[in-house]
Amino acid sequence: MGYDNLLSPTQVADLPLKHRVVMSAMTRTRNDPITESPRELNVLYYTQRATDGGLLISEGAAPCAMGRGYIRAPGVYTEAHLEGWKLVTDAVHSKGGFIFCQLMHAGRVSHSSLLPDNQLPIAPSAVKLDGLVHIKDGAKVPYETPRALETHELPGVVADFTNAAKNAISCGFDGIELHAGNGYLLQEFLAKPTNLRTDQYGGSVENRCRFVLEVVDACVEAIGSKKVGIKFQQGVTFSGLLETEEDSFLQMAYLGPELEKRNLAYVCQSSLNGDPYYKMSKLTKPNFEADPYRFFRSHYKGTLMINGGLSPEKAEEYVADGTADLVAFGVLFLANANLPALLASGQVLDLASGWKVQLWYGKNPADDPVGYTDWPLVDAVISTIKSAATAVKETVVGA
Ligand SMILES: Cc1cc2nc3c(=O)[nH]c(=O)nc-3n(C[C@H](O)[C@H](O)[C@H](O)COP(=O)(O)O)c2cc1C
């Protein structure tokens, strides 16, 4: 099967994309262990995945110290973070690529030992996440009950996002992606199980979406709508947050038109309603009766990125029928560093290696390229094919 639609050009806000294969945000916890900033190793990782006219989304970066959730995951709020990211954005741009910075405020998915003055994590409501969190020195401890944010504190959290958005632009990112999925702070506001508030930020769908829309609006004001994207996740059980199909779909129906009005760079809807490729995952596939991507598309006419368990074949179908403008791939991009070129050249993809879960996150406090930047250099394969093709052509011409 060809990927003519997936590999066709499109304009996203001000970005002239040469194809629609986006790298999804992936936390890899291999940043500098002290400064938690990108460094040479991370620059190499992004450079390997950058393509001329292609869009990458960075790993989740904490917008502020209270937004941290993982050791060796980066932020975008200190001088060291910004210097590190500048190296990454320069490298991606020098290959003709584009990169958005994902702003990921972990909310309750954190631990006091990771936060300033050992404060408790913050969340819309004091609802604890079951399970264990990695803290310093490799230890794993139970999550704590987070502290519910007071209404008067919310503008301060919005300001953390806008500062981070401005920081991201200042170090060369082409835009930001707000992470409103995976059970982190923004989704904690959206979702009934984690939002028990009785003020104007809890209760009805409109109220639960209010904080997220306030963050969107503030970021739009700070850096412009063309530089703001947002990612939602439906039916994903990561971080113990599962909304019912009814709640997910009510929320999408409300947010679609609200976001369309705001004319953002894109909205990403992520789910696991993909296809059999996802059988390799141990994650639970939601039993949605309706297709979340097509449902959201029926409520939103702006630029739509979809993601989640999608094989390139399935992605091609969604672009061909107008559901999606862009498709973000996560796991496939891990082991297939130049995925767009592989698709273009009709190469067989490595579908399995990206599922080596033990390689997803860096464990060694020092440089940890294993499973990160040490996959076979597929560029070499491509150039061999190209030169072979050129040689054939020349022979034919010569004859
Ligand atoms: C190692 C790893 C780290 C991830 N970290 C993030 C993250 O920081 N932010 C985010 O929005 N999603 C994160 N995700 C989810 C992916 O962006 C994507 O939504 C998910 O893997 C489904 O897409 P896929 O089936 O194409 O991999 C992560 C996924 C993996 C495998």
Side-chain angles (χ1 to χ4, degrees), residues 127-357:
V127 181
K128 181 173 160 318
L129 167 60
D130 286 333
L132 301 175
V133 50
H134 282 274
I135 56 168
K136 286 198 192 305
D137 307 321
K140 271 179 159 185
V141 297
Y143 284 102
E144 300 157 312
T145 303
R147 181 177 73 77
L149 284 160
E150 302 284 343
T151 311
H152 70 82
E153 294 178 281
L154 297 184
V157 183
V158 174
D160 288 335
F161 276 99
T162 54
N163 285 337
K166 288 187 212 158
N167 286 344
I169 300 304
S170 78
C171 60
F173 281 103
D174 299 290
I176 58 140
E177 177 179 279
L178 294 166
H179 192 354
N182 268 351
Y184 299 119
L185 184 74
L186 295 182
Q187 195 181 18
E188 290 160 22
F189 272 89
L190 295 173
K192 269 187 182 168
T194 43
N195 184 341
L196 311 178
R197 299 180 74 91
T198 52
D199 61 5
Q200 68 271 38
Y201 294 92
S204 64
V205 177
E206 289 85 339
N207 279 0
R208 281 183 281 118
C209 293
R210 189 181 308 281
F211 182 65
V212 170
L213 291 176
E214 284 181 5
V215 172
V216 168
D217 288 339
C219 289
V220 165
E221 199 181 322
I223 60 172
S225 64
K226 290 180 175 177
K227 292 187 179 348
V228 177
I230 186 164
K231 174 177 180 178
F232 297 95
Q233 275 169 320
Q234 314 298 340
V236 177
T237 50
F238 190 82
S239 302
L241 212 177
L242 185 61
E243 296 179 88
T244 64
E245 176 166 357
E246 190 190 358
D247 287 339
S248 288
F249 282 64
L250 281 172
Q251 208 182 86
M252 283 193 279
Y254 173 70
L255 283 172
E258 284 297 323
L259 293 163
E260 190 177 312
K261 276 191 252 172
R262 287 159 169 90
N263 203 20
L264 303 182
Y266 65 86
V267 173
C268 176
Q269 281 294 351
S270 174
S271 184
L272 300 185
N273 250 46
D275 58 22
Y277 151 63
Y278 228 91
K279 283 188 184 145
M280 277 178 264
S281 135
K282 291 200 183 84
L283 296 170
T284 319
K285 191 175 169 194
N287 290 317
F288 288 162
E289 283 182 19
D291 180 318
Y293 310 126
R294 294 206 168 93
F295 177 83
F296 186 72
R297 169 53 92 201
S298 69
H299 292 272
Y300 171 80
K301 293 188 191 64
T303 302
L304 177 58
M305 183 189 295
I306 64 167
N307 163 252
L310 295 163
S311 63
E313 287 73 21
K314 194 76 189 165
E316 171 71 12
E317 273 173 44
Y318 279 117
V319 178
D321 74 13
T323 303
D325 300 292
L326 304 167
V327 182
F329 294 93
V331 173
L332 266 187
F333 244 118
L334 297 187
N336 299 279
N338 60 348
L339 183 59
L342 289 173
L343 295 174
S345 69
Q347 298 267 306
V348 178
L349 298 181
D350 180 347
L351 292 182
S353 302
W355 284 109
K356 291 181 181 156
V357 178

